[in-house]
Amino acid sequence: RYWCLGSSGMDTLRDKVDDLAQECMKSDTLSLQLSEVLLLQIALLALRYRHLPDSPQLADAHQLDLLMLALRASIGSPFRFDEFCQQHDFSVRGLGARFKQETGMSVAQYLRQLRLCKAMELLRYDRQTIGEVAAQCGFDDSNYFSVVFHQALGVSPSAYRQRFLAG
């Protein structure tokens, strides 16, 4: 009998497998016992998160995975959630509710977070202007970008950049 794991189950298991890999490198008695416990946790978590290949839970996970990929690909360009749902024949209301249940944020809030994280990276490591960073992160207006950035981080984009130039 076959079964599959959705993305949330894989994320949970991945953390335990990483812990197990670290403990297996050690040879003391406590680490060996901890390795056994971690292996048992992995087995139990796999049982908890498994789904039959055609189950609706896996279909939900697949929809969320597609949405997450589309959002990551849309950091620098406009994203239309309704068009995405129409293209994939998903319910806008249903997918939006499942997304919020899984992430604690709306699709728009999540995309804004992705864009801000990308902007933080660019401000730290690139020498682009604030306007160029804003455009690369999907903001048409650099002033609006600065307002959103300041609201989220409590500091302007230029002040954020200065922290890393000084350090």
Side-chain angles (χ1 to χ4, degrees):
R1 181 170 103 139
Y2 296 97
W3 46 271
C4 300
L5 294 172
S7 59
S8 64
M10 285 299 294
D11 289 342
T12 304
L13 283 170
R14 189 175 295 113
D15 292 340
K16 293 297 175 189
V17 169
D18 290 344
D19 292 344
L20 177 61
Q22 288 180 358
E23 287 303 319
C24 284
M25 301 303 286
K26 302 172 188 172
S27 59
D28 61 283
T29 307
L30 195 56
S31 290
L32 293 173
Q33 291 172 341
L34 184 55
S35 295
E36 290 176 6
V37 170
L38 286 167
L39 187 59
L40 183 59
Q41 280 184 323
I42 290 168
L44 291 172
L45 287 168
L47 287 173
R48 175 186 290 166
Y49 288 106
R50 71 180 181 192
H51 305 293
L52 294 174
D54 297 331
S55 76
Q57 289 131 331
L58 191 61
D60 288 351
H62 180 67
Q63 289 178 5
L64 290 172
D65 287 343
L66 282 175
L67 178 56
M68 294 284 209
L69 288 170
L71 290 171
R72 282 190 208 107
S74 297
I75 289 175
S77 59
F79 179 78
R80 300 271 312 178
F81 182 56
D82 55 338
E83 289 176 9
F84 171 84
C85 289
Q86 185 178 18
Q87 178 184 0
H88 294 283
D89 200 27
F90 299 154
S91 160
V92 172
R93 189 178 190 135
L95 184 55
R98 279 192 303 280
F99 188 87
K100 184 157 186 139
Q101 181 182 359
E102 288 293 321
T103 64
M105 312 179 195
S106 70
V107 172
Q109 290 168 327
Y110 185 83
L111 181 57
R112 180 175 289 160
Q113 278 305 114
L114 286 176
R115 289 176 170 166
L116 288 172
C117 287
K118 179 67 174 178
M120 290 165 57
E121 177 187 335
L122 292 173
L123 290 168
R124 278 180 89 164
Y125 301 112
D126 286 352
R127 296 291 172 233
Q128 299 173 350
T129 67
I130 302 299
E132 290 169 335
V133 169
Q136 197 168 343
C137 296
F139 292 89
D140 294 332
D141 181 353
S142 62
N143 291 327
Y144 177 68
F145 165 70
S146 294
V147 168
V148 170
F149 193 94
H150 190 274
Q151 285 175 340
L153 298 163
V155 65
S156 70
S158 55
Y160 180 85
R161 174 179 273 163
Q162 287 301 318
R163 287 182 182 174
F164 298 99
L165 292 177

